[in-house]
Amino acid sequence: MIQLMHHLNVDPEELLAAARPHNLATFEQFVPLVLEARKGQATRSLLESYCNRIVSCWGTRRLDEPTPREVGDLIELFRATAQRRRDHTDGSGAAKNAYHALDSVYRFAVQEGVLWSRQNPMAWGTKPRQAKSRRHALSPQLVLHLRTSTR
């Protein structure tokens, strides 16, 4: 095969460059279409805030450019920059929501035929882990203390 390509004076890199679509949508062009397609208002408002942050980070990039590693790095950025509140779980909620926002963008791109399923970096990456629950049962000593202090 390589000999044939050499004989025809064809460079493999030229073939790969020709196979790539040059007019593929960027994130800032495609994300509004994803948000418009979402039906539920509650889901859309949460998705919209994360999609806006994705656009601010990757707005000018084409949908086929990010690799699974870059997707993971972006999700970790969302985790690291999450707002700290009293019930903060080290950004796991922000990471989970960022993952779902990116997944929605890429699933919609595949459904609309903009990307092939093999081009979806979400299919090759790992989903963020769920944070450990902070809920637990009261200890017997604490229950006894509460019973005696409320009498």
Side-chain angles (χ1 to χ4, degrees):
M1 181 66 137
I2 293 184
Q3 290 175 350
L4 176 62
M5 290 174 58
H6 182 66
H7 179 71
L8 295 173
N9 200 21
V10 175
D11 184 29
E13 290 299 319
E14 290 175 8
L15 287 175
L16 288 173
R20 288 187 200 114
H22 296 289
N23 57 353
L24 193 64
T26 62
F27 280 90
E28 61 189 2
Q29 294 168 335
F30 194 73
V31 165
L33 301 174
V34 175
L35 293 174
E36 198 175 294
R38 293 303 278 203
K39 303 262 190 291
Q41 187 60 33
T43 303
R44 183 180 176 190
S45 64
L46 178 66
L47 182 68
E48 189 170 14
S49 65
Y50 282 92
C51 283
N52 289 338
R53 288 190 59 198
I54 292 167
V55 168
S56 70
C57 293
W58 285 353
T60 58
R61 295 185 76 181
R62 291 190 335 237
L63 292 174
D64 64 338
E65 289 180 12
T67 63
R69 182 181 189 134
E70 290 174 318
V71 167
D73 291 345
L74 184 65
I75 289 171
E76 286 306 311
L77 174 70
F78 278 55
R79 179 190 308 273
T81 59
Q83 288 185 353
R84 290 192 162 274
R85 294 194 174 107
R86 192 169 53 121
D87 59 348
H88 188 67
T89 57
D90 294 328
S92 66
K96 185 178 74 167
N97 290 333
Y99 176 86
H100 287 299
L102 277 168
D103 192 45
S104 293
V105 169
Y106 278 108
R107 273 189 291 120
F108 188 73
V110 170
Q111 287 172 353
E112 293 297 308
V114 175
L115 293 176
W116 298 317
S117 59
R118 289 181 41 216
Q119 292 175 297
N120 180 356
M122 302 305 290
W124 309 105
T126 57
K127 190 174 183 177
R129 289 187 176 180
Q130 182 73 27
K132 279 188 172 182
S133 176
R134 296 172 54 162
R135 299 177 74 180
H136 55 83
L138 299 177
S139 67
Q141 295 84 8
L142 184 56
V143 171
L144 183 60
H145 173 72
L146 288 172
R147 287 178 76 191
T148 57
S149 64
T150 57
R151 288 185 179 176

